[in-house]
Amino acid sequence: MSYKIIVLAKQVPDTRNVGKDAMKADGTVNRAALPAIFNPEDLNALEQALRLKDLYPGTTVTLLTMGPGRAAEIIREGLYRGADGGYLLTDRAFAGADTLATSYALSMAIRKIKEYDLILCGRQAIDGDTAQVGPQVAEKLGLSQVTYAEEIRGINKERITVKRRLERGIEIVEAALPAVVTVNGSAAPCRPRHAKQVQKYKHAKTVTEKQDADTDYTQLFHNRPYLDLQEWSVADVGADVVQCGLSGSPTKVKKIENVVFQAKENKALKPTDEAIDELMRELIHNHTI
Ligand SMILES: Cc1cc2nc3c(=O)[nH]c(=O)nc-3n(C[C@H](O)[C@H](O)[C@H](O)COP(=O)(O)OP(=O)(O)OC[C@H]3O[C@@H](n4cnc5c(N)ncnc54)[C@H](O)[C@@H]3O)c2cc1C
């Protein structure tokens, strides 16, 4: 028994290093100004996929990421850790997408991939922090969804059994396949890069990256077609451009404020309701909460 698994993975700005030029005037993220990383919980999702691949020979793990050209790095990172391939969904028309437009574009790409048993993604991205995309993709594709997964306990061609980590403890649930499962950061950490995989895929590139490169890769890619990273545009996935990017996004990020707590801001509180009320009013007033 083998499975076709898609892992949704996002390249996110390393929000631990947010500087003053992090946001553009139109409220969208200035991704060029921030170091980009593999969204942490997407690495947990990738690990769950790779564990199923270890258990069920013939299982394939395919990454899908939507982002600017440099997001191809996410696919290479996944290949270095054991994935089999990936698609980069990239087009200027996808820029500025909110979760509705993002999940629409991803669902169109998944329709184009067509064959899959399971879609794994992170519970949440560390930049938008909405945890909406996973459930929205499931909705758009009419699939079952299980969120807050900590471990995949069992799978067969019809059903998947998942251990969920919730605030109030754990839950073991079953869902019909194909399904979308969002994975928590409390799940097992992702295995590191595998030296052989790095050797095999270090030259993997998208068409755009090859065009931008000084080196002529024609022969190398002819001999090793697996180095070809697929790049898909709005047209390639048959998406309606009006539902993509800023035009497809009812949510507009108005402003981002970098809240950095200074030592001088802590103060002792009397253990009274009035004092707590006073503090709450103050925190709301200065937009801390
Ligand atoms: C500070 C900030 C606040 C924002 N607030 C909102 C908001 O309130 N509402 C809103 O609609 N948009 C918001 N956005 C825009 C939002 O970040 C983008 O729409 C984003 O593409 C998806 O939302 P998210 O980052 O919250 O992802 P989440 O919904 O938290 O992501 C969950 C999972 O979905 C998958 N996923 C998400 N994006 C991608 C991708 N591009 N490629 C592949 N997989 C992906 C990943 O597996 C990820 O772990 C905000 C952006 C920023 C920077």
Side-chain angles (χ1 to χ4, degrees):
M1 183 84 71
S2 64
Y3 299 92
K4 291 184 171 49
I5 306 172
I6 299 173
V7 175
L8 304 182
K10 185 181 181 187
Q11 186 177 52
V12 292
D14 186 350
T15 47
R16 292 162 297 193
N17 295 313
V18 171
K20 58 182 180 3
D21 54 1
M23 293 303 291
K24 294 187 210 159
D26 65 2
T28 58
V29 174
N30 180 5
R31 292 183 186 277
L34 297 165
I37 59 170
F38 203 117
N39 184 53
E41 286 183 326
D42 300 346
L43 282 172
N44 298 99
L46 176 60
E47 178 58 25
Q48 291 297 313
L50 295 172
R51 287 183 174 209
L52 289 175
K53 182 179 171 183
D54 296 342
L55 285 174
Y56 301 98
T59 290
T60 59
V61 176
T62 302
L63 286 145
L64 174 59
T65 186
M66 181 185 96
R70 71 174 186 176
E73 197 51 46
I74 292 289
I75 300 175
R76 279 188 287 272
E77 191 59 41
L79 292 169
Y80 297 158
R81 294 172 192 241
D84 304 285
Y87 299 95
L88 169 62
L89 204 47
T90 190
D91 192 316
R92 293 197 64 69
F94 291 134
D98 72 356
T99 61
L100 191 68
T102 299
S103 55
Y104 168 71
L106 291 171
S107 67
M108 293 307 287
I110 293 167
R111 286 182 199 285
K112 183 175 170 81
I113 294 171
K114 205 181 273 133
E115 289 184 24
Y116 56 88
D117 300 296
L118 178 62
I119 299 168
L120 290 171
C121 66
R123 172 185 59 102
Q124 189 161 322
I126 59 170
D127 59 346
D129 255 0
T130 64
Q132 290 170 6
V133 170
Q136 284 174 331
V137 166
E139 259 326 288
K140 289 191 182 307
L141 296 170
L143 302 177
S144 337
Q145 59 176 278
V146 178
T147 57
Y148 296 82
E150 188 167 83
E151 188 189 349
I152 293 174
R153 283 285 182 84
I155 189 168
N156 60 37
K157 273 298 175 185
E158 277 76 46
R159 307 188 72 71
I160 188 169
T161 307
V162 176
K163 172 185 165 189
R164 303 179 74 208
R165 167 69 57 186
L166 307 168
E167 272 148 27
R168 60 182 190 284
I170 64 161
E171 224 177 41
I172 309 293
V173 297
E174 267 199 0
L177 288 182
V180 172
V181 174
T182 82
V183 181
N184 272 0
S186 62
C190 194
R191 65 199 60 191
R193 297 172 170 190
H194 192 291
K196 271 214 197 103
Q197 293 284 112
V198 176
Q199 270 318 97
K200 179 176 177 185
Y201 287 108
K202 64 183 181 201
H203 294 303
K205 286 188 180 355
T206 60
V207 176
T208 310
E209 287 177 320
K210 280 189 276 179
Q211 284 158 355
D212 297 349
D214 309 336
T215 320
D216 176 1
Y217 287 102
T218 319
Q219 199 51 43
L220 178 70
F221 279 69
H222 176 71
N223 302 343
R224 302 187 208 163
Y226 56 79
L227 293 177
D228 240 329
L229 300 183
Q230 293 291 309
E231 225 174 36
W232 281 346
S233 66
V234 169
D236 292 328
V237 297
D240 164 10
V241 73
V242 176
Q243 294 186 56
C244 297
L246 268 176
S247 69
S249 301
T251 317
K252 304 276 182 274
V253 176
K254 192 153 160 279
K255 194 170 78 172
I256 277 200
E257 242 179 274
N258 199 9
V259 179
V260 181
F261 288 108
Q262 308 296 338
K264 64 180 174 17
E265 282 174 38
N266 58 49
K267 68 180 183 187
L269 272 189
K270 289 202 197 73
T272 64
D273 291 354
E274 294 70 37
I276 304 278
D277 281 355
E278 180 49 37
L279 174 68
M280 293 307 285
R281 269 193 293 280
E282 189 188 325
L283 291 176
I284 292 166
H285 178 69
N286 64 23
H287 301 297
T288 306
I289 56 175

